[in-house]
Amino acid sequence: MSPDRSPRHLRCLQFLLLWLPGLCGAVEPGASGLFETLRDRVFQVRVVDVASGDKTAIGSGFRVERAGLVATNFHVVSLLIHEPAKYRIELLGQDGLTRPATVLAIDVLHDLAVLRDGQTDRPAFRLVTGTPGQGERIYSMGNPEDLGLTIIEGNYNGLIAASRFERLLFSGSLNPGMSGGPAFDRHGDVVGVNVAKGGEQLGFLVPAAHLKALLKRATAV
């Protein structure tokens, strides 16, 4: 007997092909899905001259706890650390609003800083202390050249053996202004913090374990 080729049978097959992947397991989001889900947790960090109101340094940051804490690089906010009376920090969110922030803790050695903005009970990134597999796809977000928030796809390529300080190699294009932004895996969990550009399609990340240690010290006070 030949197989049933009726329109009803074909519709049943189409239904199964459409829904079976979802029933077997959720499809992981790509860059666009991660961007839409995580964009409200990433900020532009601005160091502003109090007297003139001019932006003197621009970087990126991301929410790491619901208690109103935002992570960035030390070098992004170093002007304020050295001359606190001359500068102030503000965060520009994806809602277009700017909010004041203060420096809670710093780690000069690993180029990290934790800020407090007072916006409690907001969605935050989760930090992971393990590392992805060699060549695994990871993503970076930040505000390059004051052009707006972007997401970059790249690959994890291990620890930098010759680095004086522990750094992860990100085979993706980081640009000025992205410093302090998050680098995360396909689940949206942060594996590192953007810290430097090494060349074309070559960037460096501070391992998330160092940020986790700084947060522990900051919140223990």
Side-chain angles (χ1 to χ4, degrees):
M1 180 180 292
S2 61
D4 184 0
R5 301 292 186 181
S6 68
R8 180 181 178 183
H9 178 71
L10 292 175
R11 285 197 298 271
C12 288
L13 286 174
Q14 290 170 345
F15 177 85
L16 287 172
L17 289 173
L18 179 64
W19 289 103
L20 190 57
L23 294 172
C24 293
V27 177
E28 293 176 351
S32 60
L34 288 166
F35 182 85
E36 289 303 317
T37 301
L38 304 173
R39 60 183 299 175
D40 291 337
R41 307 176 194 186
V42 185
F43 305 91
Q44 183 183 68
V45 179
R46 298 171 168 179
V47 178
V48 179
D49 185 284
V50 173
S52 67
D54 294 336
K55 294 179 287 184
T56 56
I58 296 174
S60 299
F62 58 100
R63 191 169 301 287
V64 287
E65 280 196 5
R66 292 178 180 269
L69 302 185
V70 173
T72 187
N73 287 145
F74 168 76
H75 76 257
V76 172
V77 298
S78 60
L79 284 174
L80 179 136
I81 301 299
H82 296 305
E83 298 184 85
K86 187 176 180 180
Y87 300 100
R88 59 182 170 84
I89 295 177
E90 60 184 30
L91 305 178
L92 174 64
Q94 293 308 297
D95 54 7
L97 301 177
T98 57
R99 300 177 178 87
T102 56
V103 177
L104 179 63
I106 60 173
D107 179 347
V108 178
L109 183 66
H110 296 107
D111 202 348
L112 294 170
V114 175
L115 314 178
R116 188 191 298 279
D117 74 343
Q119 299 292 306
T120 59
D121 200 30
R122 300 296 177 90
F125 281 96
R126 190 172 77 95
L127 307 179
V128 292
T129 54
T131 55
Q134 185 79 13
E136 185 175 322
R137 178 70 68 181
I138 57 176
Y139 307 83
S140 169
M141 288 179 73
N143 295 270
E145 305 288 358
D146 204 11
L147 297 174
L149 186 64
T150 64
I151 186 167
I152 305 297
E153 293 188 58
N155 298 88
Y156 170 76
N157 275 296
L159 287 168
I160 306 298
S163 176
R164 182 179 178 186
F165 308 114
E166 194 173 39
R167 294 288 185 265
L168 306 179
L169 178 59
F170 173 62
S171 297
S173 183
L174 298 182
N175 288 290
M178 296 185 71
S179 291
F184 45 88
D185 60 21
R186 64 187 185 276
H187 305 297
D189 295 332
V190 171
V191 300
V193 183
N194 304 336
V195 70
K197 176 180 180 179
E200 191 69 24
Q201 296 295 308
L202 190 62
F204 304 110
L205 313 171
V206 180
H210 296 304
L211 176 56
K212 201 164 188 176
L214 179 60
L215 281 169
K216 185 176 181 179
R217 296 196 298 271
T219 54
V221 177

